[in-house]
Amino acid sequence: TQLRAAPVESRYELLAELGRGGMGVVYKARDKRLGRIVALKQLPENLREHPNAVELFEREARAAAALNHVNIVTLFDAGEENGTYFISMELLEGRPLNDIVEQHRRLSPRDAARLGVQIATGLQYAHDQRIVHRDIKTANLFFTRDQVVKIMDFGIAKSLEEVRRSTTVVGGTPFYMAPEQATGDSVDHRADLYALGVTLFQLVTGHLPFEEGDVTYQHRHEQPPDPRELNVNVPADLARLILELMAKSPDERPPNAATVGVRLSELLARPTS
């Protein structure tokens, strides 16, 4: 790969490509100004067409950079250099949860609950700062070598949604999207709880609740299957919590992420049979 041709090389020395997806390329890079190794996400070129893109990214990045929590990836900087938008963040060692699910098919209910406690803790912290993630999914949850879950791409989802409206950027299929988010209604922290429910469902069953057909319609109108139909080892209490998180109406979901964390911790506190 020709790394030297990258447009942001003036401040960042690109060392290796870590991965690429629909929303850009991530590099391991050295921030020459501050002398530290970072993960640098370069966003797609077609975002240049959006007149407010830089302002949107920088505004959201400032909000995300204010989040200082062990379960949230630390964001250092965001901006535009030579026509390329970038976000720099702490470099993590480990794997995103979607990779882990792909390898192991599904996790034990206890392991899923342990991860869920950490995700809920990070979400509660962000929600206390009045920041909603809007794109919780296994690909945005990173499991470090120290067994810490880090929520990634905080605040970026909202920017991308705004930018997407006037560019040709295609969003991912909304497998995790709350009904109210899918219909374009205003969302609050409970949309993240819905996505957490979908994530836990996937961790314990190896499947998404809706995988084929008009997924957006299904999230809005069809009841998800009980996780126990796909994995008989899921405890009834965990299945109930997952289904509550995926309630169609936000009012029927648990009130906040802290409550979810407590319920998962209670489940873990029970002796294994």
Side-chain angles (χ1 to χ4, degrees):
T1 317
Q2 274 198 308
L3 298 177
R4 59 183 176 73
V8 292
E9 67 180 357
S10 54
R11 173 171 176 182
Y12 295 97
E13 178 190 354
L14 303 184
L15 305 174
E17 185 180 309
L18 297 175
R20 57 176 61 223
M23 291 323 307
V25 187
V26 182
Y27 296 98
K28 179 180 180 180
R30 189 170 68 87
D31 181 341
K32 292 189 281 194
R33 192 182 300 170
L34 297 175
R36 64 180 164 197
I37 304 297
V38 301
L40 186 76
K41 185 173 199 171
Q42 289 188 0
L43 296 142
E45 286 187 18
N46 51 354
L47 296 187
R48 290 185 201 181
E49 301 157 21
H50 191 284
N52 302 322
V54 180
E55 184 193 338
L56 284 168
F57 277 116
E58 291 187 333
R59 190 178 71 210
E60 295 294 336
R62 275 195 294 272
L67 298 175
N68 181 17
H69 192 274
V70 66
N71 297 122
I72 296 173
V73 173
T74 302
L75 191 146
F76 297 136
D77 192 18
E80 177 266 342
E81 203 172 67
N82 302 330
T84 294
Y85 306 108
F86 68 88
I87 295 164
S88 69
M89 59 201 110
E90 68 175 311
L91 182 69
L92 300 175
E93 300 279 342
R95 292 193 297 164
L97 289 190
N98 60 321
D99 278 8
I100 294 171
V101 172
E102 209 169 290
Q103 183 185 345
H104 297 283
R105 191 60 183 143
R106 64 190 184 199
L107 305 184
S108 75
R110 289 187 77 80
D111 283 346
R114 286 189 191 97
L115 298 178
V117 169
Q118 294 193 54
I119 301 163
T121 304
L123 281 177
Q124 185 62 52
Y125 171 83
H127 295 161
D128 284 343
Q129 321 296 314
R130 300 190 168 190
I131 294 180
V132 180
H133 188 285
R134 301 160 67 102
D135 198 21
I136 292 293
K137 56 186 177 183
T138 49
N140 276 341
L141 298 164
F142 198 93
F143 191 55
T144 72
R145 287 185 183 166
D146 299 328
Q147 302 195 319
V148 176
V149 179
K150 301 264 188 181
I151 305 171
M152 301 191 290
D153 283 358
F154 241 106
I156 298 169
K158 185 180 176 190
S159 294
L160 294 180
E161 189 175 291
E162 292 185 43
V163 169
R164 216 178 264 139
R165 289 179 190 145
S166 52
T167 66
T168 55
V169 179
V170 179
T173 316
F175 289 110
Y176 302 80
M177 196 176 279
E180 67 273 18
Q181 196 172 342
T183 54
D185 295 343
S186 61
V187 301
D188 61 18
H189 67 281
R190 294 171 298 182
D192 284 348
L193 299 185
Y194 185 96
L196 174 56
V198 177
T199 298
L200 289 170
F201 184 102
Q202 183 181 14
L203 293 179
V204 296
T205 68
H207 291 275
L208 290 158
F210 304 113
E211 294 184 308
E212 294 174 357
D214 188 341
V215 174
T216 303
Y217 178 89
Q218 292 166 331
H219 276 294
R220 284 163 51 198
H221 299 292
E222 294 180 14
Q223 288 306 312
D226 189 308
R228 288 168 293 182
E229 293 172 22
L230 296 165
N231 181 357
V232 294
N233 296 318
V234 176
D237 285 1
L238 179 56
R240 191 177 308 120
L241 175 59
I242 290 170
L243 292 171
E244 278 180 41
L245 285 165
M246 289 193 289
K248 302 298 181 201
S249 164
D251 292 336
E252 292 173 12
R253 296 171 205 153
N256 50 49
T259 305
V260 178
V262 167
R263 287 175 63 177
L264 289 169
S265 297
E266 287 170 352
L267 203 135
L268 287 167
R270 284 186 207 149
T272 49
S273 50

